[in-house]
Amino acid sequence: MSAPGPTHPEIARALLDLKRRHQEAREHADLRDDDESFARLAWAEDRGTETLKLIVAVYGWPGHTLAGENGADAAWWLAHHSDDVTFQEEALELLQEAVVAGEATRRQLAFLTDRVRVRYNRPQLYGTAFALDVDSIEPYGVEDPDRLDERRAEMGLEPFDEWQQLVRNHFPLRPRNTES
């Protein structure tokens, strides 16, 4: 017997489409590195945020029951990449409730928690966020680093060393141009 589908498949489709558009715009901006590409990315982020706000206002957090696992993941993705930190804080509270109710994952909660903390210049709890630039990839500061892997395990995350290696493999540094 398979799991029942989402109660609102149209919401799941809309969220998945917005996530796909955001990912495509992000990939394009990373490759092109021009104003037009970054404008498309900003548009995709804004559209995702505004649509998710509307869904939340009408239905509450779009968890597994409402939007299915993939739709719920897309909702988290959109909140995580939103430029609206006030909305991210609201989403974080709703996501905490959704995790307790079994409607979202602890992993999603860990990532959004760190995103909000970093945006307020607070140390992250789970070591999910990294500062990326041309020369380095470094994690943002972490609260109580001695217990980091313990906290990560509680949230269903791999050990920090494994995560850090995954991040560095995904975002390889560009070779420096040493010619003058």
Side-chain angles (χ1 to χ4, degrees), residues 128-144:
T128 63
F130 284 70
L132 307 164
D133 64 33
V134 175
D135 297 324
S136 68
I137 300 172
E138 297 298 328
Y140 287 100
V142 174
E143 188 171 295
D144 190 8

Side-chain angles (χ1 to χ4, degrees), residues 2 25 62 79 103 125 132 156:
S2 63
E103 291 289 322
L125 294 178
L132 307 164

Side-chain angles (χ1 to χ4, degrees), residues 85-99:
V85 72
T86 302
F87 176 67
Q88 278 185 324
E89 287 178 298
E90 179 184 340
L92 181 58
E93 288 179 26
L94 294 170
L95 191 58
Q96 288 169 334
E97 294 169 9
V99 167

Side-chain angles (χ1 to χ4, degrees), residues 139-155:
Y140 287 100
V142 174
E143 188 171 295
D144 190 8
D146 292 337
R147 292 194 51 238
L148 176 59
D149 278 336
E150 181 182 328
R151 288 191 306 274
R152 289 181 63 83
E154 290 170 359
M155 301 306 276

Side-chain angles (χ1 to χ4, degrees), residues 61-92:
W61 185 256
H64 296 154
T65 301
L66 184 88
E69 285 186 36
N70 291 334
D73 186 67
W76 160 78
W77 175 274
L78 296 170
H80 186 256
H81 290 93
S82 175
D83 274 341
D84 184 340
V85 72
T86 302
F87 176 67
Q88 278 185 324
E89 287 178 298
E90 179 184 340
L92 181 58

